[in-house]
Amino acid sequence: MMIPASFPAFRIHSEAAGHRAGIEALSLDALSPGEIVIRAAYSSVNYKDALAGTGEGKILRRSPLVGGIDVAGHVVQSRDPAFREGDAVLCTGCGLSETRDGGYAAYARLEAQWAIPLPAGLSLRESMILGTAGFTAGLALLRMQDNRQSPGLGPLAVTGATGGVGSLAIAIFAKAGYTVHAISGKADQADWLRSLGAAEVLGREALSTARPMDTARFSGGLDNVGGPMLHALLAHTVPYGNVATAGLAATHDLATTVMPFIIRGVSLLGVASAGTARDLRDEVWRRLSADWKPAGLEAIVTREVDLEGLSAVFAGMLAGHSRGRTLVRL
């Protein structure tokens, strides 16, 4: 396939002189090196993308870079025998929009070691509805199950439930057979959260205790918020339950005690999706394309934009107005 001399990309400049980002015309030679080139079809918007695109977070480790930590499309060039022209692939994290050019462009050049052949149970569109957010939720569940989590222990709580990771976690956990309680300060979204699979929707006051341990009411869960809410979830977790931490929407601070860990045997599991080893990546995507794949993925897409719509999405996300997933058409 002939690649045009130039194509549009959302490029971020984050330097001592200041931050700026917008659409630029790039050539293939301007992109980070890699063994395969793909014609991008879809990307998505994650909280990390909003931080990078606005300069509110120090995400880029070199500048300038094309933004977008997710991308999916078809191979148009390959120097690796594992990939041929026309193959459908996806990539999430793995340095995209951090140490190398990301997915917010018509074409992306990827390192073959991190390109995932599109699983048979997913379309390119579905893979990006999931994207880093769905991968993070799936990785959290895999980590919990590796540590003996089971539906019989009781309900799993999901904080930050209306966000990308939270909404996908509800749908994925429910599909995997767990009872899910959504924790959200957005009471007007309760019906939507139930439609995704939440058995109960609770206000933030459900996780507001300051006690080192409180009534054991959850078998654990996934926290996307940090701070007092994560402390309270640990305090409310049953013996030998698991709490996965994957976000800091409120704060990166955590003031807690060792009591849930040494008295109830609660485990706090970190979820770092960006640098996940390849064998774990393959396993999570296998599960997300099969027994963990939510039936109503389209219901989680609440907005669809092109490159020109990214800046407005970033601003809304950082202001706390995001709901579900924003899909980026490329």
Side-chain angles (χ1 to χ4, degrees):
M1 178 181 177
M2 182 69 70
I3 298 175
S6 67
F7 49 85
F10 185 91
R11 204 178 197 198
I12 304 167
H13 299 256
S14 185
E15 297 145 349
H19 172 92
R20 61 186 173 88
I23 299 174
E24 301 178 17
L26 295 185
S27 67
L28 186 62
D29 290 342
L31 299 181
S32 305
E35 295 80 20
I36 66 173
V37 178
I38 70 168
R39 174 71 172 94
Y42 293 100
S43 183
S44 64
V45 181
N46 302 278
Y47 193 72
K48 193 172 182 179
D49 293 315
L51 291 174
T54 59
E56 291 297 317
K58 296 185 181 300
I59 305 300
L60 274 64
R61 298 188 186 179
R62 67 181 186 86
S63 176
L65 285 178
V66 176
I69 65 173
D70 295 342
V71 70
H74 290 99
V75 174
V76 294
Q77 288 183 5
S78 175
R79 293 187 288 107
D80 188 294
F83 296 94
R84 296 184 298 178
E85 185 174 340
D87 287 350
V89 300
L90 66 95
C91 187
T92 61
C94 303
L96 296 184
S97 188
E98 187 174 357
T99 59
R100 57 180 296 110
D101 290 301
Y104 289 160
Y107 291 86
R109 189 152 53 186
L110 306 174
E111 293 177 300
Q113 63 176 326
W114 300 121
I116 306 289
L118 184 71
L122 292 175
S123 67
L124 288 174
R125 180 183 174 87
E126 288 172 333
S127 77
M128 289 295 96
I129 296 174
L130 291 165
T132 285
F135 177 79
T136 299
L139 181 59
L141 183 56
L142 187 69
R143 292 219 63 199
M144 289 191 284
Q145 289 191 342
D146 283 348
N147 208 36
R148 301 175 64 87
Q149 190 76 36
S150 69
L153 276 178
L156 288 173
V158 175
T159 68
T162 61
V165 177
S167 57
L168 280 163
I170 291 168
I172 291 166
F173 294 177
K175 182 65 188 303
Y178 290 84
T179 299
V180 185
H181 290 182
I183 313 296
S184 176
K186 301 175 182 178
D188 60 328
Q189 299 300 322
D191 288 344
W192 180 68
L193 292 171
R194 290 190 185 94
S195 76
L196 300 181
E200 290 192 31
V201 179
L202 308 174
R204 291 172 182 157
E205 65 278 2
L207 289 178
S208 61
T209 187
R211 299 174 62 183
M213 286 200 310
D214 213 312
T215 306
R217 58 186 302 191
F218 303 112
S219 68
L222 174 59
D223 175 65
N224 299 292
V225 177
M229 194 162 285
L230 175 53
H231 160 82
L233 180 52
L234 291 166
H236 281 295
T237 296
V238 305
Y240 294 97
N242 296 284
V243 175
T245 175
L248 38 68
T251 177
H252 62 268
D253 293 329
L254 175 61
T256 193
T257 77
V258 299
M259 292 178 69
F261 312 125
I262 66 174
I263 295 177
R264 288 182 178 162
V266 172
S267 294
L268 179 59
L269 306 175
V271 180
S273 63
T276 308
R278 179 58 191 259
D279 61 330
L280 287 177
R281 279 184 187 280
D282 289 340
E283 176 62 12
V284 171
W285 281 111
R286 183 187 72 79
R287 302 297 294 272
L288 290 175
S289 67
D291 52 323
W292 290 354
K293 180 183 176 182
L297 272 177
E298 284 293 338
I300 297 174
V301 180
T302 55
R303 191 183 311 190
E304 195 167 334
V305 299
D306 56 16
L307 293 178
E308 293 183 352
L310 285 172
S311 295
V313 173
F314 295 159
M317 182 173 282
L318 295 183
H321 300 150
S322 62
R323 184 184 77 134
R325 291 285 279 162
T326 298
L327 198 64
V328 182
R329 297 186 311 273
L330 298 168

